[in-house]
Amino acid sequence: MTAYTEEIRIQELQRAWMDEAINLATNSVANGGGPFGALVAKGSEIVAVGNNQVTATLDPTAHAEVSAMRAACKELGTFSLEGCVLITSCEPCPMCLTSALWARVDRILYCADRHDAAVAGFDDLKFYELFEKKPASLWPTPVEQLELPTRTAPFNAWLAKSDRVDY
């Protein structure tokens, strides 16, 4: 197989995965969920899928990407998704993007963007703008530090634990 042929195969696979993510999102709407779908793939196989379940589960973190990554971690028996690709029907919100970074996915592919989501009434755009442009002192929710002498006690316990699993 030539490099060109392999590149074509990868592009076709990615298009098929994106079609699946969009179908997951569309089916989610039909079943009472939000219009977002995602999947995690490793190699040429889909490991896990997810759709937005925020209102169904009353969980504000039950976004499609997070749901797919949680399922993939369980399926693979690890908290690290190195070697995996996250395919999502829409550009990940800041929470999902950060979750994917923590999961160590190799790559993220999305179709619709934050502006498309904003037109549909999803306010991710204001969160992106918040993190990109506003100092914390101007955020709508105060974020404050309370200094205590024991603030590093959990970290000290972590560092002293000889059998910890670093991540």
Side-chain angles (χ1 to χ4, degrees):
M1 184 178 291
T2 68
Y4 175 76
T5 306
E6 178 63 11
E7 179 62 29
I8 296 296
R9 187 188 72 78
I10 291 170
Q11 289 175 2
E12 288 173 355
L13 191 56
Q14 290 173 353
R15 283 189 178 93
W17 288 339
M18 189 60 74
D19 284 339
E20 177 64 16
I22 291 168
N23 287 335
L24 288 164
T26 305
N27 290 337
S28 180
V29 172
N31 294 315
F36 302 95
L39 61 90
V40 174
K42 186 169 188 174
S44 61
E45 301 295 320
I46 295 174
V47 176
V49 299
N51 66 289
N52 182 284
Q53 299 176 3
V54 170
T55 58
T57 61
L58 305 178
D59 178 355
T61 68
H63 290 200
E65 298 90 340
V66 172
S67 297
M69 288 185 289
R70 286 176 178 158
C73 287
K74 286 181 183 175
E75 179 67 27
L76 296 172
T78 181
F79 57 82
S80 173
L81 295 177
E82 287 184 62
C84 295
V85 179
L86 174 64
I87 311 288
T88 181
S89 63
C90 186
E91 182 178 8
C93 73
M95 177 188 71
C96 292
L97 178 59
T98 304
S99 297
L101 295 173
W102 270 108
R104 309 292 197 262
V105 297
D106 285 5
R107 193 164 168 226
I108 301 168
L109 295 176
Y110 66 90
C111 196
D113 67 18
R114 62 181 82 171
H115 305 287
D116 298 319
V119 168
F122 292 90
D123 58 3
D124 300 359
L125 189 57
K126 73 179 183 182
F127 295 130
Y128 276 104
E129 290 171 352
L130 177 73
F131 291 123
E132 291 172 354
K133 299 178 183 175
K134 289 187 180 181
S137 62
L138 298 178
W139 290 4
T141 304
V143 178
E144 304 168 4
Q145 182 179 17
L146 176 61
E147 285 280 335
L148 292 177
T150 56
R151 74 182 184 279
T152 61
F155 299 120
N156 296 339
W158 172 257
L159 291 171
K161 186 174 173 55
S162 62
D163 63 342
R164 71 179 181 267
V165 177
D166 291 326
Y167 62 96

